[in-house]
Amino acid sequence: MIRWTFALLCLVSAAAHADIKEPAPPRAPGPTATGTPAVAYQGLGADSVSPAEVARYAAPPLPREASARIEAMLDVRGAPAGVLTARGDRMFFTSALTGSNQVWRQDGPMAFPVQLTGGADRTSVVGLTPDDSFVVVSRDVGGQENPGLYLLDPRGGALRRIIHAPKVQAALQFISDDSKTLYFRANDRDPGSYALYRYELATGATELVFDTPGLWSIDDHRDGTWLLTKDLGNTQVEVYEYDVARKQLTPVIGQGEAEDHDVRYGARPGQILVRTNKRGDFQRVYSLQRGVLTPISTDIPFDVVEFGIDQARRRIYLQVNERGYQRVSVFDARTLRPLPLPALPAADSVSLAGVSRSGRFVQLQLDGSRLPPTAYTLDWQTRKLRAWRTPMAPEIDVASFAQATLESYPARDGTPIPMFVRRPARCDAPCPVIVDFHGGPESQTRPGFAPQAQLYVDAGFVYVQPNVRGSSGYGKAWLHADDGPKRLAVVTDIEDAARFIRASWAKDGKPPRIGVLGSSYGGYSVLMAMTYFAGAFDAGVQTVGISNLVTFLTNTAPYRRILRISEYGDPVQDKDALVHLSPLTHVARIKAPLLSIQGVNDPRVPVGEALQITRELTRRAIPGGLILFPDEGHGVTRRENQVLAIGHALAFFEKHLRGR
């Protein structure tokens, strides 16, 4: 395996120009006493930032020797699942082999794949008609998260537009059994609401069929009836049945509650399968009949994070999260008895990756610290398990990757906080440490394959990924521990990670230097670590993080505002807590260098969040800076931009944690 050398690290550090340098922007007013900038920004996306500022914060190039190692690691690719034809003889899948997600066709296991879509815009396969006559694909431009829907001939050729309009999100809901009609949702009538449409494949005619206000999705359908879910928050869902012919909406479960629900029709007449934590601390799957919930999954102290049933209603699949490790179990849909899976290759985790409409095929994805994600297709008729593609790791030995170990650190109230740790084989003790906080916050770090984490390990850093309170996978109480003003009581999990590492991982009385890294909510965690908990960490790199919860909720996309208020708090009722929990309120405390990375087109965390914190740091002469990517949204997805983002982050930590 290729290893970072001292000379190469010096090249990377040199690329950072002793931090990202830019002409000083005009002096901006500081925060007011309430923490809200005296002149707050407005809007989001490219319209909210001037071309001059985008150019000012462009990423400097990296030396070729520095970028080559990152490019090599980005060439390590798994073999994920796809969409199978009815006979299981052909697969359509999404891959970023060209540098951005595109759609590919594979005419049999281990056959050479054929690229069907191209260009720079992210394009993904989202469906296949039952008669295999059309592939349905989704295409997003510039990371704006306003994807359109298209039809694609399986043989290739030009895309046929179903819907794609500026500032409109469209998503496939389902395709009819006769392959003549598909249904999609779109927020074209109201940016904060999803209407449901019918599209006729033969004529291209589109008809509005449901426009009741709300963030609606069709979870399942049967005999002219839909199971609709209405999102009130990321983990607050109401369920309804909708009679399409009568246009009648009937409540099923979740009304007037603040609970999570995921639903499918079962095999029995009148049966609805429900995944929910309504009855306890952990997500379980129930059979709902005549208003009575009867558990299917066993009562275990782990969440069922995913479940599915084929449209033939033959088998139910459950994916259980056991402290971050994934396990899959199968049940007969009619008898609810467990069904054995055949022996699977060794892996840290097994995840549900797809179920065919007929129920004959199920795709299971295996991965681990040293195993790139690999999907296997199980044919229930033959009981054979086959991989369609093999992972690729050119010039890289994945067997030498660091194994993620499950450890914990104590919060100040004594609560053990789980964390996955990857350690280098050797380094100059005490090894410098990178603490990477995940996004969400209703998400979870899992001990899977992580090439970017390995880049830090290869450079001699211990790589730590905590699952602080507010993460998913550890029960309802853990998930909701940080909702709204309650975040004040548990945000200290961020500082406690640094306290533990300094005290416990010291060598000969010398504590390690610690960097903090994160994206999205993880980026917010970085900003809190560097301001609210100033002095806890020695350097930070944040990507698309929130610097002010009030300005974020004011300017984020309308649909996001609805989903985020339940997590962060109401901008009116909870304003005092939001202000206190905003990094910008405490920016005067910052002591250590901070680098920010942001996509200009981000519809979730507006670019203004990065600009306002950067201006405050510039006023205070804090080392660091800002990188803006004009062709990215919420995160960095294009290959060339990933190289720059990773390279500058590594260089930044090398400089400020090692002084190189």
Side-chain angles (χ1 to χ4, degrees), residues 97-378:
L97 188 62
T98 62
S100 63
N101 279 348
Q102 298 300 330
V103 177
W104 300 68
R105 187 190 75 224
Q106 192 174 356
D107 298 328
M110 300 302 167
F112 193 84
V114 177
Q115 185 177 350
L116 298 181
T117 65
D121 294 325
R122 290 184 293 177
T123 309
S124 304
V125 56
V126 294
L128 178 65
T129 56
D131 63 4
D132 301 331
S133 60
F134 283 103
V135 184
V136 184
V137 304
S138 174
R139 171 166 283 177
D140 184 36
V141 177
Q144 297 173 10
E145 295 186 16
N146 292 314
L149 290 174
Y150 296 82
L151 292 176
L152 171 65
D153 190 304
R155 296 167 297 182
L159 298 180
R160 177 175 141 195
R161 187 174 70 88
I162 298 172
I163 177 176
H164 201 171
K167 299 182 180 180
V168 172
Q169 287 189 330
L172 177 69
Q173 300 299 284
F174 72 91
I175 305 170
S176 64
D177 293 338
D178 61 9
S179 301
K180 295 181 179 179
T181 306
L182 64 78
Y183 294 85
F184 66 88
R185 73 177 191 181
N187 61 346
D188 55 336
R189 298 168 64 86
D190 178 353
S193 187
Y194 293 128
L196 300 173
Y197 293 88
R198 176 191 295 114
Y199 176 85
E200 300 295 335
L201 274 72
T203 64
T206 300
E207 178 186 0
L208 175 68
V209 293
F210 184 87
D211 63 351
T212 300
L215 296 176
W216 296 96
S217 296
I218 304 175
D219 270 23
D220 206 351
H221 62 97
R222 182 167 65 183
D223 301 329
T225 304
W226 296 346
L227 270 178
L228 295 181
T229 54
K230 181 181 180 182
D231 290 344
L232 305 180
N234 266 22
T235 59
Q236 298 179 12
V237 180
E238 295 179 345
V239 181
Y240 297 81
E241 271 196 312
Y242 182 65
D243 187 311
V244 179
R246 297 180 180 179
K247 297 185 178 181
Q248 182 177 341
L249 194 65
T250 304
V252 173
I253 192 171
Q255 286 70 30
E257 303 172 348
E259 305 288 357
D260 195 11
H261 300 91
D262 183 18
V263 290
R264 305 288 187 275
Y265 281 118
R268 301 170 181 174
Q271 181 188 48
I272 296 175
L273 304 175
V274 185
R275 182 180 64 90
T276 183
N277 52 16
K278 175 185 175 78
R279 291 288 186 86
D281 194 32
F282 293 93
Q283 295 271 10
R284 296 184 67 186
V285 175
Y286 299 83
S287 171
L288 176 63
Q289 287 186 283
R290 303 181 187 89
V292 177
L293 285 172
T294 304
I296 292 176
S297 61
T298 55
D299 188 8
I300 55 177
F302 305 115
D303 276 336
V304 177
V305 293
E306 297 285 347
F307 93 104
I309 183 172
D310 53 72
Q311 290 192 29
R313 316 294 166 182
R314 294 180 179 178
R315 299 175 189 88
I316 301 169
Y317 300 86
L318 308 185
Q319 180 178 318
V320 178
N321 183 333
E322 299 182 3
R323 300 184 181 91
Y325 298 92
Q326 308 304 297
R327 305 288 182 261
V328 172
S329 55
V330 188
F331 295 82
D332 184 284
R334 292 194 174 274
T335 66
L336 303 182
R337 293 177 180 173
L339 297 174
L341 284 167
L344 299 173
D348 293 344
S349 291
V350 180
S351 305
L352 180 64
V355 183
S356 69
R357 180 182 291 258
S358 67
R360 177 178 172 180
F361 305 103
V362 59
Q363 295 180 73
L364 303 173
Q365 182 164 291
L366 283 61
D367 81 326
S369 298
R370 296 166 180 163
L371 175 65
T374 306
Y376 288 82
T377 298
L378 170 62

Side-chain angles (χ1 to χ4, degrees), residues 425-482:
R426 56 186 177 275
C427 67
D428 297 331
C431 304
V433 179
I434 302 296
V435 181
D436 179 4
F437 289 101
H438 66 69
E442 315 96 329
S443 184
Q444 179 192 37
T445 290
R446 298 175 181 175
F449 193 69
Q452 291 191 34
Q454 187 63 33
L455 281 169
Y456 284 91
V457 174
D458 284 349
F461 295 97
V462 178
Y463 201 81
V464 178
Q465 295 174 290
N467 281 314
V468 297
R469 282 172 283 192
S471 303
S472 62
Y474 299 92
K476 182 166 58 176
W478 192 275
L479 178 69
H480 294 301
D482 67 341

